[in-house]
Amino acid sequence: MTTPVLSVQDLTVEFVTRRATLRALDRVSFEIGPGEVLGVVGESGAGKSVTGAAVIGLVDPPGRIAGGEVRLSGERIDNLPAEQLRRVRGKRIGMIFQDPLTSLNPLFRIGDQLVETITTHTDLSASAARQRALALLTEVGISAPERRIDSYPHQFSGGMRQRVVIALALCAEPELVIADEPTTALDVSVQAQIITVLKRLCRDHGTAVMLVTHDMGVIGETADRVAVMYAGRVIEVGAVTDVVRHPLHPYAQGLMGAIPTLADTAERLASIPGSMPRLSAIPPGCPFNPRCPYAYAPCTTIRPELKPPGLRAPAVPGRKVACHLYDPALAPEAAAA
Amino acid sequence: MRAFVEVQDLRRVFDVSKPLLNRIIEREPRRYLTAVAGVTFDIAQGETFALVGESGSGKSTVARMVVGLLEPSGGTVTIDGTPMEGAASAAERQRLRRRIQMIFQDPYASLNPRWRVDRIVSEPIRAFRLFEGEAAIRARVGELLAFVGLHPEDGRKFPHQFSGGQRQRVAIARALASNAEFIVCDEPTSALDVSVQAQILNLMRDLQDRLGLTYLLISHNLAVVRHMATRIGVMYLGRIVEVAPSRELFGAPKHPYTRMLLDAVPDLAHIGRRREPVRGEIPNPISPPSGCHFNPRCPHANDRCRREVPPLADGVACHAIHEGRLEPGRAETV
């Protein structure tokens, strides 16, 4: 098997506050292969953005990585000194954030920002870097880049700015791009354009993508695999068609049923009672147990581990779920026998 | 069914000029933004009419004018036969206002953080003097909170003690407090997570069934609109480009913009599909294109489209459809 571009093992992030230590990520593990798009989904507070930030070492204090490891192409990066990690960011990992206006410096022309990034991370000369910037702008679908390269960010529309941000992220030919809600601030017609550009570029360059979003529609059309998060844990991973069409975890099932779709004619949407627990009050055992219609005794005491289903579901490579229902040793029928 | 709400040729123009001194120094004329350019629709009693469109299409401006939060620059809003402005007496309008309520997008901003929930919910009851005596008011507030799935005891709490979905329930309870019949919902779930969104949408439908409410739903989310609305109006740059019953709009959309929008939405039903790239973005509403506003992005535009504004006829404002150059249908099938 080839080395995954990104491998995250048991990553734990804690926020130390006066009252308590809150665990925002609790032993999160996943991998992203070359050229693969992994969607990370979940509702607010599930820990998706913290996962993205932790991978590149940008967890804001008082948060800190309390355990686990992050490997980029097999090389450990979570324990690198700040200066070396800074060089990894931008060069080997590109970032795309939600709001394109805050990721661009309003005082600099977009061409200068692109050239600066290129010359910082490669040994191209300034004029060669400018040529590369023009080529990148063409690639992200900005027509007549010669005329636009010396504009300021405010002269661009939201969609155009996000294209520039994608160009910035891809400047140094990174191995991995982390896109945190890249289309949330955009209108639907523009959203589609941005998704198309992102997908095409990453396929052409063989870049792995970690796509963090709450929008299942975007995931459905963009991602190859999905990781569903709940209360700081990954509760299900699998190919996008499997997870969307046949979710295993009761939370994932509820989530998929709750999303109105264009094909939908259902009278009522399935809804999950209650809401996500606060970090200060995550229930013991499975964090979903108070809202789960199938919860039984072990769910309130034993933490379910993320592993391939052993019951009730066909074993598909790469499919994992953190739920006792699929564990031959702990499922209700095992207890009865 | 008779029309409960009638909106006739509603217009709103905003003055977006620079300050006087700048205009003199820079020799610039006044500038106006036409947010809503002649919108006409009606809503039958007990119906959910939805306005969809992208940002800048003027849908929220329409909502604010319908409830009377914003003065129209032209046109009329008539509710249950009573015009909202002009003719009717103050007392008549006061009676009308009781029957119209609004639910806003952001439940973090629409509830007074210094008021307890029971005071928030009882404000309309007191303002319209619907119940006399503290005990009666308290009982009514408890009933309303139970109605929206909260506990009557929750009335003693402050808004910050609730989650986003619960706050939206409080906002709904407040809207129902005056026995409103017509509720304008401006993006009621776009600040909420999907599982909570489903709870709120289900609640809105249940309340409609029980109380016979009429909704005007403003949303940019086509899937939500499809789930909730009986009829839908699609807005683009201040005009309604298409009005149709929900099933018809999603089954056989007419206007090229509607088709583009339906094709553009990332949706769970379309895993792994290859999409046609959408062309262009919404133009600046300060200087919209002449003729049909959609013509620069439309594959079917001709000279007439660039010159003449198409009238809304047979539920669509499009020359290509009117002239028979274009058949209704989903974009993929054209």
Side-chain angles (χ1 to χ4, degrees):
Chain A
M1 200 185 139
T2 52
T3 321
V5 174
L6 179 71
S7 153
V8 173
Q9 266 301 321
D10 287 332
L11 186 66
T12 301
V13 170
E14 290 178 342
F15 284 77
V16 182
T17 65
R18 257 185 311 155
R19 287 207 190 129
T21 299
L22 304 177
R23 190 164 277 195
L25 290 189
D26 195 348
R27 289 170 38 214
V28 165
S29 306
F30 59 87
E31 288 178 349
I32 309 180
E36 186 180 52
V37 180
L38 176 80
V40 177
V41 284
E43 301 183 272
S44 350
K48 356 179 248 306
S49 292
V50 177
T51 308
V55 166
I56 47 164
L58 282 183
V59 179
D60 289 325
R64 60 185 174 90
I65 296 180
E69 54 180 54
V70 179
R71 286 177 188 273
L72 186 62
S73 304
E75 179 193 336
R76 205 160 160 194
I77 58 165
D78 57 299
N79 53 1
L80 287 181
E83 182 54 26
Q84 280 181 37
L85 190 58
R86 195 178 63 81
R87 254 175 266 150
V88 170
R89 284 197 292 266
K91 175 155 178 57
R92 298 181 59 196
I93 305 181
M95 297 290 301
I96 301 167
F97 293 104
Q98 175 170 353
D99 184 357
L101 201 53
T102 53
S103 17
L104 294 169
N105 188 329
L107 299 179
F108 289 91
R109 300 172 206 274
I110 59 132
D112 295 343
Q113 302 189 41
L114 284 163
V115 167
E116 187 200 356
T117 314
I118 296 169
T119 50
T120 307
H121 295 295
T122 65
D123 36 15
L124 289 180
S125 68
S127 60
R130 193 177 161 90
Q131 286 311 310
R132 172 140 176 75
L134 284 170
L136 274 168
L137 288 177
T138 315
E139 265 196 276
V140 295
I142 292 179
S143 50
E146 305 79 20
R147 280 197 293 122
R148 306 307 302 274
I149 191 167
D150 291 315
S151 309
Y152 288 92
H154 76 264
Q155 293 169 303
F156 285 80
S157 67
M160 285 296 161
R161 275 183 217 135
Q162 199 61 299
R163 288 170 194 263
V164 173
V165 173
I166 293 177
L168 261 179
L170 294 174
C171 269
E173 299 264 325
E175 295 145 59
L176 172 72
V177 167
I178 298 180
D180 190 352
E181 305 272 8
T183 59
T184 307
L186 307 172
D187 273 318
V188 275
S189 65
V190 182
Q191 222 173 19
Q193 300 170 2
I194 297 297
I195 294 174
T196 315
V197 167
L198 187 64
K199 216 174 158 175
R200 176 169 51 80
L201 287 181
C202 293
R203 199 181 48 232
D204 294 355
H205 295 247
T207 315
V209 182
M210 176 176 162
L211 178 67
V212 175
T213 180
H214 70 280
D215 188 333
M216 284 304 301
V218 170
I219 291 282
E221 289 198 14
T222 318
D224 302 308
R225 286 194 308 129
V226 198
V228 184
M229 293 193 68
Y230 185 80
R233 302 179 193 179
V234 174
I235 53 127
E236 184 164 349
V237 189
V240 69
T241 34
D242 292 338
V243 175
V244 170
R245 299 251 159 82
H246 309 287
L248 298 179
H249 196 283
Y251 172 68
Q253 290 172 354
L255 191 66
M256 301 308 157
I259 301 168
T261 74
L262 291 184
D264 152 67
T265 42
E267 268 298 296
R268 285 181 73 80
L269 295 167
S271 67
I272 310 173
S275 51
M276 175 117 44
R278 287 162 195 255
L279 287 183
S280 54
I282 293 182
C286 170
F288 188 60
N289 81 68
R291 301 172 74 188
C292 181
Y294 310 108
Y296 59 108
C299 299
T300 53
T301 49
I302 306 169
R303 177 194 161 131
E305 297 298 329
L306 188 66
K307 53 187 175 187
L311 271 181
R312 271 180 258 274
V316 182
R319 189 87 192 267
K320 289 182 189 169
V321 60
C323 179
H324 294 322
L325 289 175
Y326 302 95
D327 186 337
L330 282 166
E333 46 267 55
Chain B
M1 252 191 297
R2 96 202 141 92
F4 186 62
V5 179
E6 283 173 84
V7 172
Q8 263 302 325
D9 199 28
L10 201 61
R11 285 167 191 282
R12 174 70 207 200
V13 178
F14 290 104
D15 187 345
V16 290
S17 314
K18 288 183 177 168
L20 176 67
L21 203 59
N22 289 55
R23 288 207 305 274
I24 295 171
I25 295 169
E26 293 162 25
R27 294 173 192 282
E28 271 191 24
R30 276 185 170 278
R31 298 213 294 174
Y32 297 96
L33 185 155
T34 307
V36 178
V39 161
T40 302
F41 60 88
D42 46 40
I43 310 175
Q45 195 135 27
E47 173 181 60
T48 303
F49 182 76
L51 283 178
V52 280
E54 300 181 271
S55 26
S57 62
K59 53 193 193 304
S60 287
T61 309
V62 170
R64 293 166 59 100
M65 287 193 284
V66 169
V67 288
L69 282 176
L70 200 64
E71 199 85 2
S73 309
T76 55
V77 176
T78 310
I79 290 175
D80 205 11
T82 316
M84 283 283 275
E85 57 279 307
S89 71
E92 251 178 298
R93 261 177 280 149
Q94 173 82 354
R95 272 201 297 282
L96 203 57
R97 273 198 207 102
R98 181 192 62 72
R99 302 167 61 187
I100 312 164
Q101 288 292 333
M102 184 154 178
I103 299 168
F104 298 89
Q105 173 170 0
D106 184 358
Y108 294 82
S110 63
L111 303 176
N112 187 337
R114 290 164 172 273
W115 283 17
R116 291 182 197 274
V117 162
D118 51 11
R119 186 164 168 207
I120 292 173
V121 175
S122 68
E123 197 188 15
I125 303 177
R126 293 176 204 275
F128 293 110
R129 295 172 205 233
L130 298 175
F131 283 87
E132 291 297 333
E134 278 308 304
I137 292 176
R138 212 172 311 123
R140 173 68 180 151
V141 169
E143 187 186 34
L144 284 164
L145 290 175
F147 230 53
V148 297
L150 293 172
H151 198 273
E153 298 284 303
D154 287 336
R156 298 310 298 160
K157 293 187 190 165
F158 286 99
H160 74 261
Q161 292 170 288
F162 292 95
S163 66
Q166 289 171 320
R167 282 181 220 212
Q168 207 58 305
R169 288 175 191 268
V170 172
I172 294 174
R174 174 177 62 184
L176 297 175
S178 65
N179 302 323
E181 296 155 52
F182 174 48
I183 299 185
V184 176
C185 314
D186 188 0
E187 305 269 11
T189 59
S190 58
L192 306 176
D193 275 318
V194 278
S195 72
V196 181
Q197 164 173 289
Q199 295 170 9
I200 297 296
L201 295 180
N202 284 339
L203 173 68
M204 285 174 62
R205 284 183 75 146
D206 291 345
L207 292 172
Q208 182 168 43
D209 290 345
R210 281 164 71 179
L211 304 171
L213 299 173
T214 306
Y215 288 129
L216 170 59
L217 175 69
I218 309 292
S219 182
H220 69 279
N221 186 332
L222 282 161
V224 165
V225 162
R226 155 128 225 199
H227 185 72
M228 295 291 290
T230 30
R231 278 192 316 132
I232 299 168
V234 181
M235 288 192 72
Y236 186 74
L237 275 182
R239 294 180 189 149
I240 290 187
V241 295
E242 181 163 358
V243 190
S246 179
R247 191 179 299 264
E248 212 171 288
L249 190 95
F250 284 94
K254 291 179 183 154
H255 199 281
Y257 176 64
T258 316
R259 300 175 191 210
M260 189 207 80
L261 211 53
L262 287 180
D263 205 38
V265 185
D267 191 67
L268 275 187
H270 301 134
I271 293 174
R273 108 186 127 148
R274 286 190 59 83
R275 53 167 72 252
E276 279 302 301
V278 174
R279 304 200 297 178
E281 297 184 23
I282 296 193
N284 185 344
I286 293 178
S287 48
S290 62
C292 171
H293 280 166
F294 190 60
N295 80 66
R297 301 171 77 185
C298 181
H300 311 284
N302 63 13
D303 273 346
R304 188 176 172 212
C305 302
R306 286 183 269 275
R307 235 175 28 239
E308 258 177 71
V309 179
L312 186 65
D314 296 330
V316 62
C318 174
H319 291 311
I321 293 272
H322 292 167
E323 291 165 9
R325 284 192 280 132
L326 186 61
E327 290 297 316
R330 290 296 289 260
E332 304 97 89
T333 61
V334 172

